[in-house]
Amino acid sequence: MRATARVDRSLCQGAGLCEAMGPELFRIDEEGYSENSQRNITNEEKVLLLQDIADCCPTGAISVTVSEQD
Amino acid sequence: MTPIEHFPPAELFTKDYYQNPYPTFEWLRTNSPVHEFDFPVGNVRTWMVTRYDDVRTVLADPRFSSEGGTWGNAEFREAGLVSGSGSVLERAITVVDPPAHTRLRRLAMSTFTTRRIAHWRDTVQRIVENTLDDCARRGSFDVMDDYAGVVSSDVLGEILGFRIERHRELVEAIGQAFPSDPGLMDQVPEGFRRICEYAEELVADKRREPGDDLTSALVHASEDGDRLDHEELVAMVAAMIMAGSDTVRAFVGNAVLALLDHPEQCGLMLSSPEYTSSAVEELLRYEGALSTALFRVTTEELELAGTVLPAGAPVIAVLLSANRDPDRFTAPDRLDITRNESRHVGFGHGLHNCLGAALARLEGEIAIPALFRRFPDLARDIPREEVGYIENWAMRRLVRLPVSTGIPVRP
Ligand code: HEM
Ligand code: SF4
């Protein structure tokens, strides 16, 4: 399993929930918006966390795509 | 040489402070950014955090917990400062940490779908227009009670699916839970109790007869896979009632006052609709609805901006102050709807940031410009110095804001 998260910067309101829930996955940049740097996440626990974070984001700015092949 | 000022201009939580806390915040940011003081209830030793960066740290760092009942020291718990203690609200989304928080948040957020929010736009527009018709008939009215208050509670009532005959009582209960008059503080628990009771009844109603409303969606979501138990569901609905009504009322009131004080900014907002959303963000920064976030407590001893906090220490993050921090915002005391700077923290930050932000923004973007569009000559009916704020440490709300439309009323 392999997951990639994208942040739509036009939707992101810089609420910082993503960074608070997963500091190793998301970072708020100088302007106050989320930049996510991680792609191709394969650790299963992290993939689940990524989905949790996407579900909790107040603006729905995070989309996660998961592909089954390695 | 000017003498060093050892005390803030207005002592915390006094009359002068409530009417204008900004000089005190400025003093605190400069002289005591993590400020120790005795919280008036129970004289509990508390720390107040006023700089933008530190406020964000408190709201995002997991060592600052929202679970006062679990991590707060004995003094804090014994003074009764644990929010919702002894009721279903003990487990409400606002006062739990992950993993419990993640579960509640995911579930609640799943009901704020794009389709549902689009539908709310029509609801808000209709309620705003009806309320404006009413205000036009009066000619003179109170922005707080007759406009902001009506719009915010009608919208929430309709979105949650309240029966009309229950609605008035709910407004009353909300008034009890968030009084304007400090003399009525003893009624607050009764207000909370009534809100929980309505939430309970609403959940039962929607279980029997689901509708196209948020409560039904929450009931449905809770039956789907990851279940919420009955108490969690009631707590969630009660939390929405408490978090989503008086806040919007306060915000719309503050925004209307700010625009009456800055007619050129108001004119710009009306003539250039592309500024509507940045105007709402700026108004949230300039004077949002919550002075502070809810209590956080430290889970261990730690250092914040050079101050050591013991484990279990209650901490108050001051949102109004962070939003006026000159290290983050140029000329922070100026209202500028074209501002394009750091994110304000009017909706909080991190894990617990406002869940209803999309709805709150929608209400602000519709209700604020609509008032000035309908009544271009809107004017205050009382002198500026008589406009006052309620004496509440967490909520920043005007007591009243009487205005006239300037349009003759037909008999
Ligand atoms: C202008 C209006 C509003 C303002 C200024 C506002 C502000 C805030 C702030 C600052 C917080 C974070 C508190 C903390 O961290 O301790 C918060 C949380 C929350 N707000 Fe709002 N709010 C508004 C409107 C609404 C509306 C309309 C709703 C719901 C319908 C709502 C529901 C909530 C909920 C459920 C939380 C708790 C979220 C969590 O703990 O994860 N709010 N709000
Ligand atoms: S949680 Fe969503 S809105 Fe908040 S910073 Fe992350 S992506 Fe942006």
Side-chain angles (χ1 to χ4, degrees), chain B residues 24-81:
Chain B
T24 299
F25 294 152
E26 190 186 339
W27 187 92
L28 289 171
R29 283 191 306 264
T30 312
N31 298 290
S32 183
V34 181
H35 184 72
E36 186 182 331
F37 73 109
D38 285 341
F39 191 78
V41 178
N43 291 327
V44 178
R45 203 151 65 109
T46 302
W47 283 262
M48 193 172 213
V49 176
T50 43
R51 287 185 187 161
Y52 181 90
D53 288 352
D54 299 337
V55 163
R56 296 234 310 201
T57 301
V58 169
L59 297 181
D61 185 330
R63 293 173 306 164
F64 294 89
S65 164
S66 293
E67 281 183 25
T70 311
W71 297 101
N73 59 29
E75 213 192 347
F76 178 78
R77 283 180 282 120
E78 280 157 19
L81 293 178

Short mmCIF file of all heavy atoms in Angstrom, two decimals, chain B residues 24-81:
data_model
loop_
_atom_site.label_atom_id
_atom_site.label_comp_id
_atom_site.label_asym_id
_atom_site.label_seq_id
_atom_site.Cartn_x
_atom_site.Cartn_y
_atom_site.Cartn_z
N THR B 24 -3.71 46.42 27.83
CA THR B 24 -3.20 45.38 28.74
C THR B 24 -2.49 44.28 27.95
O THR B 24 -1.41 43.82 28.33
CB THR B 24 -4.36 44.81 29.58
OG1 THR B 24 -4.91 45.87 30.36
CG2 THR B 24 -3.89 43.69 30.50
N PHE B 25 -3.09 43.88 26.84
CA PHE B 25 -2.45 42.84 26.02
C PHE B 25 -1.08 43.32 25.52
O PHE B 25 -0.11 42.56 25.50
CB PHE B 25 -3.32 42.47 24.81
CG PHE B 25 -4.61 41.80 25.18
CD1 PHE B 25 -5.74 41.93 24.36
CD2 PHE B 25 -4.72 41.05 26.35
CE1 PHE B 25 -6.93 41.30 24.70
CE2 PHE B 25 -5.92 40.42 26.69
CZ PHE B 25 -7.02 40.55 25.86
N GLU B 26 -1.02 44.57 25.10
CA GLU B 26 0.23 45.10 24.59
C GLU B 26 1.30 45.06 25.69
O GLU B 26 2.44 44.65 25.47
CB GLU B 26 0.03 46.54 24.10
CG GLU B 26 1.20 47.08 23.33
CD GLU B 26 1.04 48.55 22.98
OE1 GLU B 26 -0.12 49.04 22.97
OE2 GLU B 26 2.06 49.20 22.72
N TRP B 27 0.88 45.46 26.88
CA TRP B 27 1.82 45.43 28.01
C TRP B 27 2.27 44.00 28.29
O TRP B 27 3.45 43.73 28.51
CB TRP B 27 1.13 46.04 29.25
CG TRP B 27 2.06 46.19 30.41
CD1 TRP B 27 2.81 47.29 30.72
CD2 TRP B 27 2.36 45.21 31.40
NE1 TRP B 27 3.56 47.06 31.84
CE2 TRP B 27 3.30 45.78 32.28
CE3 TRP B 27 1.94 43.89 31.64
CZ2 TRP B 27 3.83 45.09 33.38
CZ3 TRP B 27 2.45 43.20 32.73
CH2 TRP B 27 3.39 43.79 33.59
N LEU B 28 1.35 43.07 28.28
CA LEU B 28 1.68 41.67 28.56
C LEU B 28 2.62 41.10 27.50
O LEU B 28 3.60 40.44 27.82
CB LEU B 28 0.42 40.82 28.65
CG LEU B 28 -0.47 41.04 29.88
CD1 LEU B 28 -1.79 40.29 29.73
CD2 LEU B 28 0.23 40.60 31.16
N ARG B 29 2.34 41.36 26.22
CA ARG B 29 3.21 40.83 25.16
C ARG B 29 4.64 41.30 25.35
O ARG B 29 5.59 40.56 25.13
CB ARG B 29 2.69 41.25 23.77
CG ARG B 29 1.49 40.47 23.27
CD ARG B 29 1.22 40.75 21.79
NE ARG B 29 1.07 42.17 21.51
CZ ARG B 29 -0.11 42.83 21.43
NH1 ARG B 29 -1.23 42.17 21.59
NH2 ARG B 29 -0.13 44.11 21.17
N THR B 30 4.79 42.57 25.78
CA THR B 30 6.12 43.13 25.93
C THR B 30 6.77 42.71 27.25
O THR B 30 7.94 42.34 27.27
CB THR B 30 6.02 44.68 25.92
OG1 THR B 30 5.22 45.05 24.81
CG2 THR B 30 7.39 45.32 25.81
N ASN B 31 6.01 42.78 28.33
CA ASN B 31 6.63 42.63 29.65
C ASN B 31 6.46 41.27 30.30
O ASN B 31 7.26 40.89 31.15
CB ASN B 31 6.07 43.68 30.62
CG ASN B 31 6.38 45.08 30.15
OD1 ASN B 31 7.53 45.50 30.19
ND2 ASN B 31 5.37 45.78 29.67
N SER B 32 5.41 40.55 29.94
CA SER B 32 5.14 39.30 30.64
C SER B 32 4.34 38.37 29.72
O SER B 32 3.17 38.10 29.95
CB SER B 32 4.36 39.61 31.93
OG SER B 32 4.15 38.44 32.67
N PRO B 33 5.00 37.87 28.66
CA PRO B 33 4.25 37.14 27.62
C PRO B 33 3.63 35.83 28.10
O PRO B 33 2.67 35.36 27.49
CB PRO B 33 5.29 36.89 26.52
CG PRO B 33 6.61 37.08 27.17
CD PRO B 33 6.43 38.04 28.29
N VAL B 34 4.19 35.25 29.17
CA VAL B 34 3.55 34.08 29.78
C VAL B 34 3.28 34.50 31.22
O VAL B 34 4.12 34.38 32.09
CB VAL B 34 4.44 32.83 29.70
CG1 VAL B 34 3.75 31.62 30.31
CG2 VAL B 34 4.81 32.53 28.24
N HIS B 35 2.11 35.04 31.44
CA HIS B 35 1.83 35.83 32.63
C HIS B 35 1.10 35.03 33.70
O HIS B 35 0.01 34.51 33.46
CB HIS B 35 0.99 37.04 32.22
CG HIS B 35 0.69 37.99 33.33
ND1 HIS B 35 1.65 38.82 33.86
CD2 HIS B 35 -0.45 38.24 34.02
CE1 HIS B 35 1.11 39.56 34.83
NE2 HIS B 35 -0.16 39.22 34.95
N GLU B 36 1.71 34.95 34.87
CA GLU B 36 1.09 34.21 35.96
C GLU B 36 0.15 35.12 36.75
O GLU B 36 0.49 36.25 37.05
CB GLU B 36 2.19 33.69 36.89
CG GLU B 36 1.66 32.78 37.97
CD GLU B 36 2.77 32.31 38.92
OE1 GLU B 36 3.94 32.21 38.49
OE2 GLU B 36 2.44 32.07 40.09
N PHE B 37 -1.04 34.63 37.03
CA PHE B 37 -1.99 35.42 37.84
C PHE B 37 -2.98 34.47 38.51
O PHE B 37 -2.98 33.27 38.23
CB PHE B 37 -2.72 36.45 36.95
CG PHE B 37 -3.75 35.83 36.04
CD1 PHE B 37 -5.12 36.00 36.27
CD2 PHE B 37 -3.37 35.05 34.96
CE1 PHE B 37 -6.07 35.42 35.44
CE2 PHE B 37 -4.32 34.47 34.12
CZ PHE B 37 -5.66 34.66 34.36
N ASP B 38 -3.78 35.03 39.41
CA ASP B 38 -4.79 34.20 40.08
C ASP B 38 -6.11 34.31 39.33
O ASP B 38 -6.71 35.39 39.26
CB ASP B 38 -5.00 34.68 41.53
CG ASP B 38 -3.84 34.27 42.41
OD1 ASP B 38 -3.09 33.35 42.01
OD2 ASP B 38 -3.67 34.86 43.48
N PHE B 39 -6.57 33.20 38.81
CA PHE B 39 -7.85 33.20 38.12
C PHE B 39 -8.95 33.51 39.13
O PHE B 39 -8.97 32.93 40.22
CB PHE B 39 -8.09 31.83 37.46
CG PHE B 39 -9.24 31.84 36.52
CD1 PHE B 39 -9.11 32.37 35.24
CD2 PHE B 39 -10.47 31.33 36.90
CE1 PHE B 39 -10.18 32.39 34.37
CE2 PHE B 39 -11.55 31.35 36.03
CZ PHE B 39 -11.40 31.89 34.76
N PRO B 40 -9.86 34.45 38.79
CA PRO B 40 -10.82 34.92 39.81
C PRO B 40 -11.68 33.82 40.42
O PRO B 40 -12.08 33.93 41.58
CB PRO B 40 -11.67 35.95 39.06
CG PRO B 40 -11.26 35.88 37.63
CD PRO B 40 -9.95 35.20 37.54
N VAL B 41 -11.99 32.78 39.67
CA VAL B 41 -12.78 31.70 40.27
C VAL B 41 -11.84 30.77 41.03
O VAL B 41 -10.97 30.14 40.43
CB VAL B 41 -13.54 30.91 39.19
CG1 VAL B 41 -14.33 29.77 39.81
CG2 VAL B 41 -14.45 31.82 38.39
N GLY B 42 -11.98 30.72 42.33
CA GLY B 42 -11.16 29.82 43.15
C GLY B 42 -9.71 30.27 43.31
O GLY B 42 -8.90 29.54 43.87
N ASN B 43 -9.38 31.46 42.82
CA ASN B 43 -8.00 31.96 42.89
C ASN B 43 -6.96 30.94 42.44
O ASN B 43 -5.92 30.77 43.07
CB ASN B 43 -7.67 32.42 44.32
CG ASN B 43 -8.43 33.67 44.66
OD1 ASN B 43 -8.69 34.51 43.79
ND2 ASN B 43 -8.83 33.79 45.92
N VAL B 44 -7.26 30.28 41.36
CA VAL B 44 -6.35 29.25 40.87
C VAL B 44 -5.19 29.89 40.10
O VAL B 44 -5.41 30.75 39.24
CB VAL B 44 -7.11 28.28 39.94
CG1 VAL B 44 -6.18 27.23 39.38
CG2 VAL B 44 -8.26 27.65 40.69
N ARG B 45 -3.96 29.48 40.41
CA ARG B 45 -2.79 30.00 39.71
C ARG B 45 -2.88 29.60 38.23
O ARG B 45 -2.98 28.42 37.91
CB ARG B 45 -1.54 29.39 40.34
CG ARG B 45 -0.29 30.16 40.14
CD ARG B 45 0.66 29.89 41.31
NE ARG B 45 1.08 28.50 41.31
CZ ARG B 45 2.32 28.10 40.99
NH1 ARG B 45 3.24 28.98 40.65
NH2 ARG B 45 2.65 26.83 41.02
N THR B 46 -2.87 30.61 37.36
CA THR B 46 -3.11 30.39 35.93
C THR B 46 -2.09 31.20 35.12
O THR B 46 -1.58 32.21 35.61
CB THR B 46 -4.55 30.85 35.59
OG1 THR B 46 -5.46 30.11 36.39
CG2 THR B 46 -4.91 30.65 34.13
N TRP B 47 -1.80 30.74 33.91
CA TRP B 47 -0.88 31.48 33.05
C TRP B 47 -1.60 31.95 31.80
O TRP B 47 -2.34 31.19 31.18
CB TRP B 47 0.31 30.60 32.68
CG TRP B 47 1.30 30.48 33.79
CD1 TRP B 47 2.46 31.19 33.96
CD2 TRP B 47 1.23 29.59 34.93
NE1 TRP B 47 3.10 30.80 35.12
CE2 TRP B 47 2.37 29.83 35.73
CE3 TRP B 47 0.31 28.63 35.36
CZ2 TRP B 47 2.61 29.13 36.92
CZ3 TRP B 47 0.54 27.93 36.55
CH2 TRP B 47 1.68 28.19 37.31
N MET B 48 -1.37 33.22 31.45
CA MET B 48 -2.03 33.80 30.30
C MET B 48 -0.98 34.06 29.22
O MET B 48 0.05 34.67 29.48
CB MET B 48 -2.65 35.11 30.74
CG MET B 48 -3.62 35.69 29.78
SD MET B 48 -4.38 37.09 30.63
CE MET B 48 -5.99 37.03 29.94
N VAL B 49 -1.24 33.58 28.02
CA VAL B 49 -0.26 33.64 26.94
C VAL B 49 -0.76 34.59 25.86
O VAL B 49 -1.90 34.45 25.38
CB VAL B 49 -0.05 32.22 26.37
CG1 VAL B 49 0.88 32.23 25.17
CG2 VAL B 49 0.49 31.30 27.46
N THR B 50 0.05 35.58 25.48
CA THR B 50 -0.48 36.66 24.65
C THR B 50 0.20 36.86 23.29
O THR B 50 -0.33 37.58 22.44
CB THR B 50 -0.42 38.00 25.41
OG1 THR B 50 0.84 38.09 26.08
CG2 THR B 50 -1.53 38.11 26.43
N ARG B 51 1.41 36.28 23.09
CA ARG B 51 2.05 36.50 21.77
C ARG B 51 1.55 35.50 20.75
O ARG B 51 1.30 34.34 21.08
CB ARG B 51 3.57 36.33 21.90
CG ARG B 51 4.24 37.49 22.61
CD ARG B 51 5.75 37.29 22.58
NE ARG B 51 6.41 38.29 23.41
CZ ARG B 51 7.64 38.17 23.86
NH1 ARG B 51 8.35 37.09 23.58
NH2 ARG B 51 8.16 39.13 24.59
N TYR B 52 1.51 35.95 19.51
CA TYR B 52 0.99 35.11 18.41
C TYR B 52 1.66 33.74 18.38
O TYR B 52 1.00 32.70 18.39
CB TYR B 52 1.19 35.84 17.09
CG TYR B 52 0.68 35.11 15.86
CD1 TYR B 52 -0.62 35.29 15.41
CD2 TYR B 52 1.52 34.27 15.13
CE1 TYR B 52 -1.09 34.63 14.28
CE2 TYR B 52 1.07 33.61 14.00
CZ TYR B 52 -0.23 33.79 13.57
OH TYR B 52 -0.69 33.15 12.45
N ASP B 53 3.00 33.71 18.32
CA ASP B 53 3.70 32.43 18.17
C ASP B 53 3.43 31.51 19.36
O ASP B 53 3.27 30.30 19.20
CB ASP B 53 5.20 32.65 18.01
CG ASP B 53 5.54 33.23 16.64
OD1 ASP B 53 4.62 33.30 15.78
OD2 ASP B 53 6.70 33.62 16.42
N ASP B 54 3.42 32.10 20.55
CA ASP B 54 3.20 31.28 21.76
C ASP B 54 1.76 30.76 21.81
O ASP B 54 1.51 29.63 22.23
CB ASP B 54 3.51 32.08 23.02
CG ASP B 54 4.97 32.55 23.06
OD1 ASP B 54 5.81 31.91 22.39
OD2 ASP B 54 5.27 33.55 23.76
N VAL B 55 0.82 31.58 21.38
CA VAL B 55 -0.59 31.14 21.35
C VAL B 55 -0.71 29.94 20.41
O VAL B 55 -1.33 28.93 20.74
CB VAL B 55 -1.52 32.29 20.90
CG1 VAL B 55 -2.89 31.78 20.44
CG2 VAL B 55 -1.69 33.30 22.04
N ARG B 56 -0.06 30.02 19.25
CA ARG B 56 -0.12 28.87 18.32
C ARG B 56 0.54 27.64 18.93
O ARG B 56 0.06 26.52 18.74
CB ARG B 56 0.55 29.24 16.99
CG ARG B 56 -0.20 30.36 16.27
CD ARG B 56 -0.59 30.07 14.88
NE ARG B 56 0.48 29.54 14.06
CZ ARG B 56 0.45 29.60 12.73
NH1 ARG B 56 -0.56 30.19 12.11
NH2 ARG B 56 1.41 29.08 12.03
N THR B 57 1.63 27.84 19.66
CA THR B 57 2.28 26.70 20.32
C THR B 57 1.33 26.04 21.31
O THR B 57 1.15 24.82 21.31
CB THR B 57 3.56 27.15 21.05
OG1 THR B 57 4.43 27.75 20.10
CG2 THR B 57 4.26 25.99 21.73
N VAL B 58 0.71 26.85 22.16
CA VAL B 58 -0.20 26.29 23.16
C VAL B 58 -1.32 25.49 22.49
O VAL B 58 -1.72 24.43 22.97
CB VAL B 58 -0.79 27.42 24.05
CG1 VAL B 58 -1.94 26.91 24.91
CG2 VAL B 58 0.30 28.04 24.91
N LEU B 59 -1.81 26.00 21.36
CA LEU B 59 -2.95 25.34 20.72
C LEU B 59 -2.54 24.13 19.87
O LEU B 59 -3.39 23.32 19.51
CB LEU B 59 -3.73 26.35 19.88
CG LEU B 59 -4.35 27.50 20.69
CD1 LEU B 59 -5.13 28.44 19.77
CD2 LEU B 59 -5.25 26.98 21.80
N ALA B 60 -1.26 24.01 19.54
CA ALA B 60 -0.86 22.91 18.66
C ALA B 60 -0.01 21.84 19.35
O ALA B 60 0.03 20.71 18.91
CB ALA B 60 -0.11 23.46 17.45
N ASP B 61 0.67 22.18 20.42
CA ASP B 61 1.58 21.25 21.07
C ASP B 61 0.80 20.31 21.99
O ASP B 61 0.07 20.76 22.87
CB ASP B 61 2.59 22.09 21.88
CG ASP B 61 3.69 21.26 22.52
OD1 ASP B 61 3.42 20.08 22.86
OD2 ASP B 61 4.79 21.80 22.69
N PRO B 62 0.93 18.98 21.77
CA PRO B 62 0.12 18.03 22.56
C PRO B 62 0.41 18.05 24.06
O PRO B 62 -0.37 17.50 24.84
CB PRO B 62 0.47 16.66 21.96
CG PRO B 62 1.72 16.86 21.18
CD PRO B 62 1.76 18.31 20.77
N ARG B 63 1.48 18.71 24.48
CA ARG B 63 1.73 18.80 25.92
C ARG B 63 0.78 19.80 26.60
O ARG B 63 0.76 19.91 27.81
CB ARG B 63 3.19 19.17 26.19
CG ARG B 63 4.16 18.05 25.75
CD ARG B 63 5.59 18.51 25.87
NE ARG B 63 5.78 19.77 25.14
CZ ARG B 63 6.83 20.58 25.30
NH1 ARG B 63 7.77 20.28 26.16
NH2 ARG B 63 6.93 21.68 24.59
N PHE B 64 0.05 20.53 25.79
CA PHE B 64 -1.02 21.37 26.33
C PHE B 64 -2.32 20.65 26.05
O PHE B 64 -2.81 20.65 24.91
CB PHE B 64 -1.02 22.76 25.69
CG PHE B 64 0.21 23.56 26.03
CD1 PHE B 64 1.35 23.48 25.25
CD2 PHE B 64 0.23 24.38 27.15
CE1 PHE B 64 2.49 24.21 25.56
CE2 PHE B 64 1.36 25.12 27.47
CZ PHE B 64 2.50 25.03 26.68
N SER B 65 -2.87 20.01 27.06
CA SER B 65 -4.03 19.15 26.87
C SER B 65 -5.34 19.92 27.04
O SER B 65 -5.40 20.91 27.77
CB SER B 65 -3.97 18.02 27.90
OG SER B 65 -5.22 17.39 28.01
N SER B 66 -6.38 19.45 26.36
CA SER B 66 -7.72 20.04 26.55
C SER B 66 -8.47 19.31 27.66
O SER B 66 -9.57 19.72 28.01
CB SER B 66 -8.52 19.94 25.25
OG SER B 66 -7.95 20.77 24.27
N GLU B 67 -7.91 18.23 28.16
CA GLU B 67 -8.59 17.43 29.18
C GLU B 67 -8.25 17.89 30.59
O GLU B 67 -7.44 17.27 31.29
CB GLU B 67 -8.22 15.95 29.02
CG GLU B 67 -9.00 15.28 27.92
CD GLU B 67 -8.69 13.78 27.79
OE1 GLU B 67 -8.27 13.15 28.77
OE2 GLU B 67 -8.89 13.26 26.69
N GLY B 68 -8.89 18.97 31.01
CA GLY B 68 -8.64 19.50 32.35
C GLY B 68 -8.93 18.49 33.44
O GLY B 68 -8.26 18.45 34.48
N GLY B 69 -9.93 17.64 33.21
CA GLY B 69 -10.30 16.65 34.21
C GLY B 69 -9.24 15.58 34.40
O GLY B 69 -9.13 14.97 35.47
N THR B 70 -8.44 15.33 33.35
CA THR B 70 -7.41 14.30 33.43
C THR B 70 -6.08 14.87 33.90
O THR B 70 -5.41 14.30 34.75
CB THR B 70 -7.18 13.68 32.02
OG1 THR B 70 -8.43 13.33 31.47
CG2 THR B 70 -6.27 12.45 32.10
N TRP B 71 -5.70 16.02 33.34
CA TRP B 71 -4.35 16.55 33.55
C TRP B 71 -4.28 17.75 34.47
O TRP B 71 -3.19 18.11 34.93
CB TRP B 71 -3.71 16.91 32.20
CG TRP B 71 -3.54 15.75 31.28
CD1 TRP B 71 -4.33 15.42 30.23
CD2 TRP B 71 -2.53 14.74 31.35
NE1 TRP B 71 -3.87 14.27 29.62
CE2 TRP B 71 -2.76 13.83 30.29
CE3 TRP B 71 -1.44 14.50 32.21
CZ2 TRP B 71 -1.95 12.72 30.05
CZ3 TRP B 71 -0.63 13.39 31.97
CH2 TRP B 71 -0.90 12.51 30.91
N GLY B 72 -5.40 18.41 34.73
CA GLY B 72 -5.37 19.61 35.55
C GLY B 72 -4.94 19.29 36.99
O GLY B 72 -5.21 18.20 37.48
N ASN B 73 -4.27 20.23 37.64
CA ASN B 73 -3.87 19.97 39.02
C ASN B 73 -5.11 20.02 39.94
O ASN B 73 -6.20 20.41 39.51
CB ASN B 73 -2.79 20.96 39.48
CG ASN B 73 -3.25 22.41 39.38
OD1 ASN B 73 -4.43 22.70 39.50
ND2 ASN B 73 -2.31 23.32 39.16
N ALA B 74 -4.92 19.59 41.19
CA ALA B 74 -6.05 19.45 42.12
C ALA B 74 -6.76 20.80 42.31
O ALA B 74 -8.00 20.87 42.34
CB ALA B 74 -5.56 18.92 43.46
N GLU B 75 -5.97 21.86 42.40
CA GLU B 75 -6.52 23.20 42.61
C GLU B 75 -7.52 23.55 41.50
O GLU B 75 -8.62 24.04 41.75
CB GLU B 75 -5.32 24.16 42.53
CG GLU B 75 -5.38 25.37 43.39
CD GLU B 75 -4.27 26.35 42.96
OE1 GLU B 75 -3.34 25.97 42.20
OE2 GLU B 75 -4.36 27.50 43.38
N PHE B 76 -7.12 23.29 40.28
CA PHE B 76 -7.93 23.58 39.10
C PHE B 76 -9.22 22.76 39.14
O PHE B 76 -10.32 23.28 38.95
CB PHE B 76 -7.11 23.25 37.85
CG PHE B 76 -7.84 23.46 36.54
CD1 PHE B 76 -7.99 24.73 36.00
CD2 PHE B 76 -8.35 22.37 35.82
CE1 PHE B 76 -8.64 24.92 34.79
CE2 PHE B 76 -9.00 22.56 34.60
CZ PHE B 76 -9.14 23.83 34.10
N ARG B 77 -9.10 21.48 39.42
CA ARG B 77 -10.28 20.61 39.41
C ARG B 77 -11.22 20.96 40.56
O ARG B 77 -12.43 21.01 40.38
CB ARG B 77 -9.84 19.14 39.46
CG ARG B 77 -9.33 18.67 38.09
CD ARG B 77 -8.90 17.22 38.09
NE ARG B 77 -7.59 17.03 38.69
CZ ARG B 77 -7.34 16.28 39.77
NH1 ARG B 77 -8.32 15.63 40.34
NH2 ARG B 77 -6.12 16.18 40.25
N GLU B 78 -10.63 21.24 41.73
CA GLU B 78 -11.48 21.52 42.89
C GLU B 78 -12.22 22.85 42.76
O GLU B 78 -13.30 23.03 43.34
CB GLU B 78 -10.65 21.49 44.18
CG GLU B 78 -10.44 20.05 44.64
CD GLU B 78 -9.21 19.89 45.54
OE1 GLU B 78 -8.75 20.92 46.08
OE2 GLU B 78 -8.73 18.75 45.66
N ALA B 79 -11.66 23.78 42.01
CA ALA B 79 -12.34 25.07 41.83
C ALA B 79 -13.51 24.94 40.85
O ALA B 79 -14.21 25.91 40.57
CB ALA B 79 -11.34 26.11 41.32
N GLY B 80 -13.72 23.73 40.30
CA GLY B 80 -14.84 23.53 39.38
C GLY B 80 -14.58 24.10 38.00
O GLY B 80 -15.51 24.45 37.28
N LEU B 81 -13.30 24.21 37.62
CA LEU B 81 -13.00 24.82 36.33
C LEU B 81 -12.98 23.81 35.18
O LEU B 81 -12.76 24.18 34.04
CB LEU B 81 -11.66 25.57 36.40
CG LEU B 81 -11.67 26.80 37.32
CD1 LEU B 81 -10.31 27.45 37.39
CD2 LEU B 81 -12.70 27.82 36.85
#
